[in-house]
Each structure stands twice: as C-alpha cells, then as structure tokens.
PDB file of all heavy atoms in Angstrom:
ATOM      1  N   VAL Z  19       9.348  -3.961 -15.596  1.00 96.00           N
ATOM      2  CA  VAL Z  19       9.036  -5.150 -16.382  1.00 96.00           C
ATOM      3  C   VAL Z  19       9.161  -4.827 -17.871  1.00 96.00           C
ATOM      4  O   VAL Z  19       9.040  -3.673 -18.271  1.00 96.00           O
ATOM      5  CB  VAL Z  19       7.607  -5.663 -16.078  1.00 96.00           C
ATOM      6  CG1 VAL Z  19       7.479  -6.066 -14.615  1.00 96.00           C
ATOM      7  CG2 VAL Z  19       6.555  -4.613 -16.435  1.00 96.00           C
ATOM      8  N   PRO Z  20       9.406  -5.817 -18.713  1.00 95.00           N
ATOM      9  CA  PRO Z  20       9.496  -5.569 -20.151  1.00 95.00           C
ATOM     10  C   PRO Z  20       8.155  -5.084 -20.713  1.00 95.00           C
ATOM     11  O   PRO Z  20       7.105  -5.648 -20.406  1.00 95.00           O
ATOM     12  CB  PRO Z  20       9.870  -6.940 -20.732  1.00 95.00           C
ATOM     13  CG  PRO Z  20      10.449  -7.701 -19.585  1.00 95.00           C
ATOM     14  CD  PRO Z  20       9.710  -7.230 -18.381  1.00 95.00           C
ATOM     15  N   TYR Z  21       8.213  -4.052 -21.517  1.00 94.00           N
ATOM     16  CA  TYR Z  21       7.009  -3.467 -22.101  1.00 94.00           C
ATOM     17  C   TYR Z  21       6.226  -4.478 -22.943  1.00 94.00           C
ATOM     18  O   TYR Z  21       5.000  -4.464 -22.984  1.00 94.00           O
ATOM     19  CB  TYR Z  21       7.405  -2.266 -22.973  1.00 94.00           C
ATOM     20  CG  TYR Z  21       6.288  -1.696 -23.810  1.00 94.00           C
ATOM     21  CD1 TYR Z  21       5.329  -0.857 -23.252  1.00 94.00           C
ATOM     22  CD2 TYR Z  21       6.181  -1.992 -25.180  1.00 94.00           C
ATOM     23  CE1 TYR Z  21       4.300  -0.331 -24.022  1.00 94.00           C
ATOM     24  CE2 TYR Z  21       5.160  -1.474 -25.945  1.00 94.00           C
ATOM     25  CZ  TYR Z  21       4.229  -0.647 -25.373  1.00 94.00           C
ATOM     26  OH  TYR Z  21       3.206  -0.128 -26.139  1.00 94.00           O
ATOM     27  N   SER Z  22       6.931  -5.385 -23.601  1.00 95.00           N
ATOM     28  CA  SER Z  22       6.277  -6.330 -24.517  1.00 95.00           C
ATOM     29  C   SER Z  22       5.531  -7.447 -23.796  1.00 95.00           C
ATOM     30  O   SER Z  22       4.722  -8.147 -24.409  1.00 95.00           O
ATOM     31  CB  SER Z  22       7.311  -6.946 -25.463  1.00 95.00           C
ATOM     32  OG  SER Z  22       8.250  -7.723 -24.735  1.00 95.00           O
ATOM     33  N   LYS Z  23       5.807  -7.625 -22.501  1.00 96.00           N
ATOM     34  CA  LYS Z  23       5.153  -8.701 -21.755  1.00 96.00           C
ATOM     35  C   LYS Z  23       3.834  -8.202 -21.172  1.00 96.00           C
ATOM     36  O   LYS Z  23       3.769  -7.147 -20.567  1.00 96.00           O
ATOM     37  CB  LYS Z  23       6.062  -9.226 -20.645  1.00 96.00           C
ATOM     38  CG  LYS Z  23       7.423  -9.713 -21.157  1.00 96.00           C
ATOM     39  CD  LYS Z  23       7.287 -10.784 -22.238  1.00 96.00           C
ATOM     40  CE  LYS Z  23       8.642 -11.230 -22.763  1.00 96.00           C
ATOM     41  NZ  LYS Z  23       8.534 -12.247 -23.842  1.00 96.00           N
ATOM     42  N   LYS Z  24       2.794  -9.000 -21.360  1.00 94.00           N
ATOM     43  CA  LYS Z  24       1.438  -8.542 -21.035  1.00 94.00           C
ATOM     44  C   LYS Z  24       0.839  -9.183 -19.785  1.00 94.00           C
ATOM     45  O   LYS Z  24      -0.256  -8.823 -19.378  1.00 94.00           O
ATOM     46  CB  LYS Z  24       0.516  -8.805 -22.229  1.00 94.00           C
ATOM     47  CG  LYS Z  24       0.998  -8.183 -23.538  1.00 94.00           C
ATOM     48  CD  LYS Z  24       1.200  -6.678 -23.410  1.00 94.00           C
ATOM     49  CE  LYS Z  24       1.707  -6.059 -24.709  1.00 94.00           C
ATOM     50  NZ  LYS Z  24       2.015  -4.622 -24.555  1.00 94.00           N
ATOM     51  N   HIS Z  25       1.521 -10.133 -19.184  1.00 96.00           N
ATOM     52  CA  HIS Z  25       0.969 -10.810 -18.023  1.00 96.00           C
ATOM     53  C   HIS Z  25       1.919 -10.687 -16.829  1.00 96.00           C
ATOM     54  O   HIS Z  25       3.112 -10.974 -16.948  1.00 96.00           O
ATOM     55  CB  HIS Z  25       0.689 -12.287 -18.345  1.00 96.00           C
ATOM     56  CG  HIS Z  25      -0.251 -12.460 -19.493  1.00 96.00           C
ATOM     57  ND1 HIS Z  25       0.181 -12.604 -20.793  1.00 96.00           N
ATOM     58  CD2 HIS Z  25      -1.612 -12.472 -19.541  1.00 96.00           C
ATOM     59  CE1 HIS Z  25      -0.865 -12.707 -21.591  1.00 96.00           C
ATOM     60  NE2 HIS Z  25      -1.954 -12.631 -20.859  1.00 96.00           N
ATOM     61  N   HIS Z  26       1.356 -10.262 -15.707  1.00 97.00           N
ATOM     62  CA  HIS Z  26       2.170  -9.992 -14.535  1.00 97.00           C
ATOM     63  C   HIS Z  26       1.467 -10.481 -13.266  1.00 97.00           C
ATOM     64  O   HIS Z  26       0.234 -10.477 -13.187  1.00 97.00           O
ATOM     65  CB  HIS Z  26       2.443  -8.493 -14.411  1.00 97.00           C
ATOM     66  CG  HIS Z  26       2.948  -7.869 -15.672  1.00 97.00           C
ATOM     67  ND1 HIS Z  26       4.235  -8.060 -16.141  1.00 97.00           N
ATOM     68  CD2 HIS Z  26       2.331  -7.076 -16.593  1.00 97.00           C
ATOM     69  CE1 HIS Z  26       4.397  -7.399 -17.273  1.00 97.00           C
ATOM     70  NE2 HIS Z  26       3.256  -6.805 -17.578  1.00 97.00           N
ATOM     71  N   ILE Z  27       2.255 -10.871 -12.276  1.00 97.00           N
ATOM     72  CA  ILE Z  27       1.720 -11.258 -10.975  1.00 97.00           C
ATOM     73  C   ILE Z  27       1.426  -9.971 -10.204  1.00 97.00           C
ATOM     74  O   ILE Z  27       2.333  -9.297  -9.738  1.00 97.00           O
ATOM     75  CB  ILE Z  27       2.712 -12.126 -10.172  1.00 97.00           C
ATOM     76  CG1 ILE Z  27       3.258 -13.271 -11.025  1.00 97.00           C
ATOM     77  CG2 ILE Z  27       2.057 -12.629  -8.890  1.00 97.00           C
ATOM     78  CD1 ILE Z  27       2.224 -14.279 -11.458  1.00 97.00           C
ATOM     79  N   MET Z  28       0.166  -9.634 -10.071  1.00 96.00           N
ATOM     80  CA  MET Z  28      -0.220  -8.360  -9.464  1.00 96.00           C
ATOM     81  C   MET Z  28      -0.475  -8.518  -7.968  1.00 96.00           C
ATOM     82  O   MET Z  28      -1.536  -8.167  -7.439  1.00 96.00           O
ATOM     83  CB  MET Z  28      -1.464  -7.818 -10.166  1.00 96.00           C
ATOM     84  CG  MET Z  28      -1.325  -7.656 -11.660  1.00 96.00           C
ATOM     85  SD  MET Z  28      -0.158  -6.361 -12.112  1.00 96.00           S
ATOM     86  CE  MET Z  28      -1.147  -4.913 -11.787  1.00 96.00           C
ATOM     87  N   CYS Z  29       0.499  -9.054  -7.284  1.00 97.00           N
ATOM     88  CA  CYS Z  29       0.408  -9.227  -5.835  1.00 97.00           C
ATOM     89  C   CYS Z  29       1.809  -9.215  -5.263  1.00 97.00           C
ATOM     90  O   CYS Z  29       2.741  -9.759  -5.873  1.00 97.00           O
ATOM     91  CB  CYS Z  29      -0.312 -10.528  -5.484  1.00 97.00           C
ATOM     92  SG  CYS Z  29      -0.515 -10.802  -3.699  1.00 97.00           S
ATOM     93  N   ASN Z  30       1.941  -8.611  -4.088  1.00 95.00           N
ATOM     94  CA  ASN Z  30       3.247  -8.502  -3.448  1.00 95.00           C
ATOM     95  C   ASN Z  30       3.269  -9.162  -2.069  1.00 95.00           C
ATOM     96  O   ASN Z  30       4.254  -9.104  -1.354  1.00 95.00           O
ATOM     97  CB  ASN Z  30       3.620  -7.015  -3.316  1.00 95.00           C
ATOM     98  CG  ASN Z  30       5.041  -6.800  -2.869  1.00 95.00           C
ATOM     99  OD1 ASN Z  30       5.971  -7.341  -3.453  1.00 95.00           O
ATOM    100  ND2 ASN Z  30       5.224  -6.001  -1.828  1.00 95.00           N
ATOM    101  N   SER Z  31       2.154  -9.803  -1.696  1.00 95.00           N
ATOM    102  CA  SER Z  31       2.040 -10.359  -0.346  1.00 95.00           C
ATOM    103  C   SER Z  31       2.953 -11.568  -0.156  1.00 95.00           C
ATOM    104  O   SER Z  31       3.052 -12.439  -1.019  1.00 95.00           O
ATOM    105  CB  SER Z  31       0.601 -10.769  -0.060  1.00 95.00           C
ATOM    106  OG  SER Z  31       0.485 -11.345   1.222  1.00 95.00           O
ATOM    107  N   LYS Z  32       3.580 -11.620   0.988  1.00 94.00           N
ATOM    108  CA  LYS Z  32       4.433 -12.757   1.345  1.00 94.00           C
ATOM    109  C   LYS Z  32       3.693 -13.748   2.242  1.00 94.00           C
ATOM    110  O   LYS Z  32       4.248 -14.764   2.653  1.00 94.00           O
ATOM    111  CB  LYS Z  32       5.696 -12.259   2.062  1.00 94.00           C
ATOM    112  CG  LYS Z  32       6.473 -11.182   1.308  1.00 94.00           C
ATOM    113  CD  LYS Z  32       6.928 -11.646  -0.052  1.00 94.00           C
ATOM    114  CE  LYS Z  32       7.828 -10.611  -0.730  1.00 94.00           C
ATOM    115  NZ  LYS Z  32       7.159  -9.340  -1.056  1.00 94.00           N
ATOM    116  N   ASP Z  33       2.412 -13.435   2.541  1.00 94.00           N
ATOM    117  CA  ASP Z  33       1.619 -14.314   3.404  1.00 94.00           C
ATOM    118  C   ASP Z  33       1.154 -15.559   2.650  1.00 94.00           C
ATOM    119  O   ASP Z  33       1.221 -15.615   1.417  1.00 94.00           O
ATOM    120  CB  ASP Z  33       0.388 -13.565   3.932  1.00 94.00           C
ATOM    121  CG  ASP Z  33       0.760 -12.465   4.910  1.00 94.00           C
ATOM    122  OD1 ASP Z  33       1.828 -12.576   5.535  1.00 94.00           O
ATOM    123  OD2 ASP Z  33      -0.006 -11.487   5.025  1.00 94.00           O
ATOM    124  N   LYS Z  34       0.662 -16.519   3.392  1.00 92.00           N
ATOM    125  CA  LYS Z  34       0.102 -17.721   2.790  1.00 92.00           C
ATOM    126  C   LYS Z  34      -1.273 -17.412   2.199  1.00 92.00           C
ATOM    127  O   LYS Z  34      -1.921 -16.444   2.579  1.00 92.00           O
ATOM    128  CB  LYS Z  34       0.005 -18.833   3.826  1.00 92.00           C
ATOM    129  CG  LYS Z  34       1.359 -19.326   4.317  1.00 92.00           C
ATOM    130  CD  LYS Z  34       1.202 -20.451   5.326  1.00 92.00           C
ATOM    131  CE  LYS Z  34       2.569 -20.950   5.805  1.00 92.00           C
ATOM    132  NZ  LYS Z  34       2.445 -22.054   6.788  1.00 92.00           N
ATOM    133  N   GLY Z  35      -1.699 -18.264   1.283  1.00 89.00           N
ATOM    134  CA  GLY Z  35      -2.915 -18.020   0.524  1.00 89.00           C
ATOM    135  C   GLY Z  35      -4.144 -17.681   1.337  1.00 89.00           C
ATOM    136  O   GLY Z  35      -4.856 -16.712   1.041  1.00 89.00           O
ATOM    137  N   LEU Z  36      -4.438 -18.455   2.385  1.00 90.00           N
ATOM    138  CA  LEU Z  36      -5.642 -18.217   3.186  1.00 90.00           C
ATOM    139  C   LEU Z  36      -5.570 -16.887   3.920  1.00 90.00           C
ATOM    140  O   LEU Z  36      -6.583 -16.175   4.037  1.00 90.00           O
ATOM    141  CB  LEU Z  36      -5.846 -19.361   4.184  1.00 90.00           C
ATOM    142  CG  LEU Z  36      -6.225 -20.726   3.571  1.00 90.00           C
ATOM    143  CD1 LEU Z  36      -6.321 -21.785   4.658  1.00 90.00           C
ATOM    144  CD2 LEU Z  36      -7.550 -20.618   2.801  1.00 90.00           C
ATOM    145  N   ASP Z  37      -4.395 -16.519   4.394  1.00 93.00           N
ATOM    146  CA  ASP Z  37      -4.221 -15.237   5.076  1.00 93.00           C
ATOM    147  C   ASP Z  37      -4.369 -14.077   4.090  1.00 93.00           C
ATOM    148  O   ASP Z  37      -4.908 -13.021   4.434  1.00 93.00           O
ATOM    149  CB  ASP Z  37      -2.846 -15.169   5.748  1.00 93.00           C
ATOM    150  CG  ASP Z  37      -2.723 -16.158   6.899  1.00 93.00           C
ATOM    151  OD1 ASP Z  37      -3.750 -16.418   7.559  1.00 93.00           O
ATOM    152  OD2 ASP Z  37      -1.611 -16.683   7.127  1.00 93.00           O
ATOM    153  N   VAL Z  38      -3.892 -14.301   2.883  1.00 95.00           N
ATOM    154  CA  VAL Z  38      -4.022 -13.273   1.842  1.00 95.00           C
ATOM    155  C   VAL Z  38      -5.483 -13.032   1.524  1.00 95.00           C
ATOM    156  O   VAL Z  38      -5.947 -11.887   1.415  1.00 95.00           O
ATOM    157  CB  VAL Z  38      -3.259 -13.689   0.565  1.00 95.00           C
ATOM    158  CG1 VAL Z  38      -3.547 -12.711  -0.571  1.00 95.00           C
ATOM    159  CG2 VAL Z  38      -1.769 -13.760   0.832  1.00 95.00           C
ATOM    160  N   LYS Z  39      -6.235 -14.104   1.377  1.00 93.00           N
ATOM    161  CA  LYS Z  39      -7.648 -14.005   0.999  1.00 93.00           C
ATOM    162  C   LYS Z  39      -8.468 -13.245   2.026  1.00 93.00           C
ATOM    163  O   LYS Z  39      -9.447 -12.572   1.692  1.00 93.00           O
ATOM    164  CB  LYS Z  39      -8.225 -15.405   0.793  1.00 93.00           C
ATOM    165  CG  LYS Z  39      -9.589 -15.415   0.121  1.00 93.00           C
ATOM    166  CD  LYS Z  39     -10.039 -16.825  -0.207  1.00 93.00           C
ATOM    167  CE  LYS Z  39     -11.393 -16.792  -0.923  1.00 93.00           C
ATOM    168  NZ  LYS Z  39     -11.847 -18.170  -1.245  1.00 93.00           N
ATOM    169  N   LYS Z  40      -8.079 -13.331   3.304  1.00 94.00           N
ATOM    170  CA  LYS Z  40      -8.798 -12.615   4.359  1.00 94.00           C
ATOM    171  C   LYS Z  40      -8.698 -11.103   4.165  1.00 94.00           C
ATOM    172  O   LYS Z  40      -9.598 -10.356   4.543  1.00 94.00           O
ATOM    173  CB  LYS Z  40      -8.227 -12.979   5.729  1.00 94.00           C
ATOM    174  CG  LYS Z  40      -8.476 -14.406   6.161  1.00 94.00           C
ATOM    175  CD  LYS Z  40      -7.791 -14.676   7.496  1.00 94.00           C
ATOM    176  CE  LYS Z  40      -7.942 -16.132   7.914  1.00 94.00           C
ATOM    177  NZ  LYS Z  40      -7.205 -16.406   9.185  1.00 94.00           N
ATOM    178  N   ASN Z  41      -7.598 -10.660   3.592  1.00 95.00           N
ATOM    179  CA  ASN Z  41      -7.337  -9.226   3.464  1.00 95.00           C
ATOM    180  C   ASN Z  41      -7.578  -8.659   2.075  1.00 95.00           C
ATOM    181  O   ASN Z  41      -7.776  -7.450   1.931  1.00 95.00           O
ATOM    182  CB  ASN Z  41      -5.889  -8.924   3.869  1.00 95.00           C
ATOM    183  CG  ASN Z  41      -5.628  -9.203   5.332  1.00 95.00           C
ATOM    184  OD1 ASN Z  41      -6.401  -8.793   6.185  1.00 95.00           O
ATOM    185  ND2 ASN Z  41      -4.536  -9.904   5.624  1.00 95.00           N
ATOM    186  N   CYS Z  42      -7.566  -9.529   1.052  1.00 96.00           N
ATOM    187  CA  CYS Z  42      -7.718  -9.019  -0.315  1.00 96.00           C
ATOM    188  C   CYS Z  42      -8.242 -10.110  -1.232  1.00 96.00           C
ATOM    189  O   CYS Z  42      -7.629 -11.179  -1.346  1.00 96.00           O
ATOM    190  CB  CYS Z  42      -6.378  -8.496  -0.830  1.00 96.00           C
ATOM    191  SG  CYS Z  42      -6.454  -7.817  -2.505  1.00 96.00           S
ATOM    192  N   SER Z  43      -9.351  -9.828  -1.895  1.00 95.00           N
ATOM    193  CA  SER Z  43      -9.945 -10.831  -2.787  1.00 95.00           C
ATOM    194  C   SER Z  43      -9.166 -11.002  -4.079  1.00 95.00           C
ATOM    195  O   SER Z  43      -9.389 -11.959  -4.826  1.00 95.00           O
ATOM    196  CB  SER Z  43     -11.395 -10.435  -3.121  1.00 95.00           C
ATOM    197  OG  SER Z  43     -11.439  -9.181  -3.789  1.00 95.00           O
ATOM    198  N   ALA Z  44      -8.237 -10.074  -4.350  1.00 95.00           N
ATOM    199  CA  ALA Z  44      -7.437 -10.161  -5.581  1.00 95.00           C
ATOM    200  C   ALA Z  44      -6.028 -10.671  -5.317  1.00 95.00           C
ATOM    201  O   ALA Z  44      -5.213 -10.756  -6.232  1.00 95.00           O
ATOM    202  CB  ALA Z  44      -7.361  -8.798  -6.261  1.00 95.00           C
ATOM    203  N   GLY Z  45      -5.746 -11.054  -4.063  1.00 96.00           N
ATOM    204  CA  GLY Z  45      -4.406 -11.493  -3.717  1.00 96.00           C
ATOM    205  C   GLY Z  45      -4.104 -12.905  -4.179  1.00 96.00           C
ATOM    206  O   GLY Z  45      -5.010 -13.719  -4.403  1.00 96.00           O
ATOM    207  N   CYS Z  46      -2.822 -13.209  -4.310  1.00 96.00           N
ATOM    208  CA  CYS Z  46      -2.386 -14.534  -4.751  1.00 96.00           C
ATOM    209  C   CYS Z  46      -2.673 -15.579  -3.682  1.00 96.00           C
ATOM    210  O   CYS Z  46      -2.343 -15.391  -2.506  1.00 96.00           O
ATOM    211  CB  CYS Z  46      -0.891 -14.504  -5.067  1.00 96.00           C
ATOM    212  SG  CYS Z  46      -0.212 -16.100  -5.544  1.00 96.00           S
ATOM    213  N   LEU Z  47      -3.254 -16.707  -4.090  1.00 95.00           N
ATOM    214  CA  LEU Z  47      -3.614 -17.789  -3.169  1.00 95.00           C
ATOM    215  C   LEU Z  47      -2.510 -18.827  -3.005  1.00 95.00           C
ATOM    216  O   LEU Z  47      -2.680 -19.802  -2.286  1.00 95.00           O
ATOM    217  CB  LEU Z  47      -4.892 -18.479  -3.667  1.00 95.00           C
ATOM    218  CG  LEU Z  47      -6.121 -17.571  -3.813  1.00 95.00           C
ATOM    219  CD1 LEU Z  47      -7.282 -18.361  -4.408  1.00 95.00           C
ATOM    220  CD2 LEU Z  47      -6.512 -16.963  -2.483  1.00 95.00           C
ATOM    221  N   SER Z  48      -1.410 -18.627  -3.697  1.00 95.00           N
ATOM    222  CA  SER Z  48      -0.261 -19.556  -3.629  1.00 95.00           C
ATOM    223  C   SER Z  48      -0.637 -20.976  -4.056  1.00 95.00           C
ATOM    224  O   SER Z  48      -0.040 -21.948  -3.598  1.00 95.00           O
ATOM    225  CB  SER Z  48       0.317 -19.596  -2.196  1.00 95.00           C
ATOM    226  OG  SER Z  48       0.598 -18.305  -1.724  1.00 95.00           O
ATOM    227  N   CYS Z  49      -1.622 -21.083  -4.945  1.00 95.00           N
ATOM    228  CA  CYS Z  49      -2.098 -22.408  -5.348  1.00 95.00           C
ATOM    229  C   CYS Z  49      -1.176 -23.100  -6.345  1.00 95.00           C
ATOM    230  O   CYS Z  49      -1.206 -24.322  -6.495  1.00 95.00           O
ATOM    231  CB  CYS Z  49      -3.502 -22.301  -5.928  1.00 95.00           C
ATOM    232  SG  CYS Z  49      -3.592 -21.339  -7.457  1.00 95.00           S
ATOM    233  N   GLY Z  50      -0.385 -22.320  -7.074  1.00 95.00           N
ATOM    234  CA  GLY Z  50       0.563 -22.887  -8.037  1.00 95.00           C
ATOM    235  C   GLY Z  50      -0.030 -23.297  -9.364  1.00 95.00           C
ATOM    236  O   GLY Z  50       0.660 -23.910 -10.192  1.00 95.00           O
ATOM    237  N   LEU Z  51      -1.315 -22.986  -9.617  1.00 96.00           N
ATOM    238  CA  LEU Z  51      -1.922 -23.350 -10.905  1.00 96.00           C
ATOM    239  C   LEU Z  51      -1.216 -22.667 -12.069  1.00 96.00           C
ATOM    240  O   LEU Z  51      -1.087 -23.249 -13.154  1.00 96.00           O
ATOM    241  CB  LEU Z  51      -3.413 -22.984 -10.911  1.00 96.00           C
ATOM    242  CG  LEU Z  51      -4.354 -23.931 -10.161  1.00 96.00           C
ATOM    243  CD1 LEU Z  51      -5.768 -23.353 -10.132  1.00 96.00           C
ATOM    244  CD2 LEU Z  51      -4.367 -25.302 -10.848  1.00 96.00           C
ATOM    245  N   CYS Z  52      -0.762 -21.446 -11.862  1.00 96.00           N
ATOM    246  CA  CYS Z  52      -0.063 -20.731 -12.929  1.00 96.00           C
ATOM    247  C   CYS Z  52       1.246 -21.437 -13.278  1.00 96.00           C
ATOM    248  O   CYS Z  52       1.626 -21.527 -14.457  1.00 96.00           O
ATOM    249  CB  CYS Z  52       0.199 -19.284 -12.529  1.00 96.00           C
ATOM    250  SG  CYS Z  52       1.090 -19.091 -10.960  1.00 96.00           S
ATOM    251  N   VAL Z  53       1.925 -21.928 -12.250  1.00 97.00           N
ATOM    252  CA  VAL Z  53       3.197 -22.634 -12.464  1.00 97.00           C
ATOM    253  C   VAL Z  53       2.966 -23.901 -13.283  1.00 97.00           C
ATOM    254  O   VAL Z  53       3.678 -24.170 -14.265  1.00 97.00           O
ATOM    255  CB  VAL Z  53       3.846 -22.992 -11.112  1.00 97.00           C
ATOM    256  CG1 VAL Z  53       5.135 -23.791 -11.338  1.00 97.00           C
ATOM    257  CG2 VAL Z  53       4.148 -21.742 -10.306  1.00 97.00           C
ATOM    258  N   ARG Z  54       1.953 -24.652 -12.902  1.00 96.00           N
ATOM    259  CA  ARG Z  54       1.687 -25.935 -13.572  1.00 96.00           C
ATOM    260  C   ARG Z  54       1.107 -25.762 -14.972  1.00 96.00           C
ATOM    261  O   ARG Z  54       1.269 -26.636 -15.825  1.00 96.00           O
ATOM    262  CB  ARG Z  54       0.738 -26.770 -12.709  1.00 96.00           C
ATOM    263  CG  ARG Z  54       1.343 -27.182 -11.368  1.00 96.00           C
ATOM    264  CD  ARG Z  54       0.499 -28.235 -10.663  1.00 96.00           C
ATOM    265  NE  ARG Z  54      -0.792 -27.711 -10.230  1.00 96.00           N
ATOM    266  CZ  ARG Z  54      -0.980 -27.092  -9.069  1.00 96.00           C
ATOM    267  NH1 ARG Z  54       0.035 -26.884  -8.237  1.00 96.00           N
ATOM    268  NH2 ARG Z  54      -2.184 -26.672  -8.726  1.00 96.00           N
ATOM    269  N   SER Z  55       0.454 -24.634 -15.218  1.00 95.00           N
ATOM    270  CA  SER Z  55      -0.197 -24.444 -16.522  1.00 95.00           C
ATOM    271  C   SER Z  55       0.717 -23.822 -17.573  1.00 95.00           C
ATOM    272  O   SER Z  55       0.399 -23.842 -18.758  1.00 95.00           O
ATOM    273  CB  SER Z  55      -1.441 -23.569 -16.357  1.00 95.00           C
ATOM    274  OG  SER Z  55      -1.081 -22.247 -15.964  1.00 95.00           O
ATOM    275  N   CYS Z  56       1.856 -23.275 -17.149  1.00 97.00           N
ATOM    276  CA  CYS Z  56       2.730 -22.581 -18.095  1.00 97.00           C
ATOM    277  C   CYS Z  56       3.459 -23.576 -18.998  1.00 97.00           C
ATOM    278  O   CYS Z  56       4.256 -24.396 -18.523  1.00 97.00           O
ATOM    279  CB  CYS Z  56       3.749 -21.721 -17.355  1.00 97.00           C
ATOM    280  SG  CYS Z  56       4.854 -20.818 -18.471  1.00 97.00           S
ATOM    281  N   PRO Z  57       3.228 -23.528 -20.301  1.00 96.00           N
ATOM    282  CA  PRO Z  57       3.864 -24.485 -21.218  1.00 96.00           C
ATOM    283  C   PRO Z  57       5.362 -24.229 -21.417  1.00 96.00           C
ATOM    284  O   PRO Z  57       6.084 -25.089 -21.914  1.00 96.00           O
ATOM    285  CB  PRO Z  57       3.106 -24.272 -22.527  1.00 96.00           C
ATOM    286  CG  PRO Z  57       2.648 -22.856 -22.469  1.00 96.00           C
ATOM    287  CD  PRO Z  57       2.327 -22.597 -21.023  1.00 96.00           C
ATOM    288  N   LYS Z  58       5.834 -23.067 -21.018  1.00 96.00           N
ATOM    289  CA  LYS Z  58       7.248 -22.714 -21.210  1.00 96.00           C
ATOM    290  C   LYS Z  58       8.047 -22.759 -19.905  1.00 96.00           C
ATOM    291  O   LYS Z  58       9.225 -22.384 -19.898  1.00 96.00           O
ATOM    292  CB  LYS Z  58       7.348 -21.303 -21.816  1.00 96.00           C
ATOM    293  CG  LYS Z  58       6.695 -21.167 -23.188  1.00 96.00           C
ATOM    294  CD  LYS Z  58       7.376 -22.054 -24.211  1.00 96.00           C
ATOM    295  CE  LYS Z  58       6.745 -21.902 -25.589  1.00 96.00           C
ATOM    296  NZ  LYS Z  58       7.404 -22.769 -26.597  1.00 96.00           N
TER     297      LYS Z  58
END
C-alpha cells in the first residue's frame, strides 16, 4: 500500500458480515457505511 495513505481495510475475509462477526469482532461486516461516507 502507499506509505502516505493512513487508512486501510484491515480484513481479508470473503464471508458475509454475520459469519465474519461470529469468528472475529474486528472483521468487516459488509455494511457499506465506509462506501457511502467517502466524499471522494
């Protein structure tokens, strides 16, 4: 990743959000809030 960029998706799971949550409390929930909140 570019050194100058400070925000990264720290999850590699291909499972759906609920399945991810069962195995890891820090996993991506696939909710899409990050997508909708990004101004760029």
Side-chain angles (χ1 to χ4, degrees):
V19 298
Y21 171 79
S22 64
K23 304 304 178 181
K24 305 303 179 185
H25 302 92
H26 310 286
I27 311 295
M28 304 292 284
C29 182
N30 189 52
S31 178
K32 307 301 186 295
D33 291 335
K34 294 181 179 180
L36 291 177
D37 293 328
V38 173
K39 192 173 182 180
K40 292 177 184 177
N41 295 313
C42 181
S43 61
C46 177
L47 301 176
S48 308
C49 64
L51 282 174
C52 55
V53 177
R54 295 192 293 274
S55 66
C56 181
K58 298 297 181 180

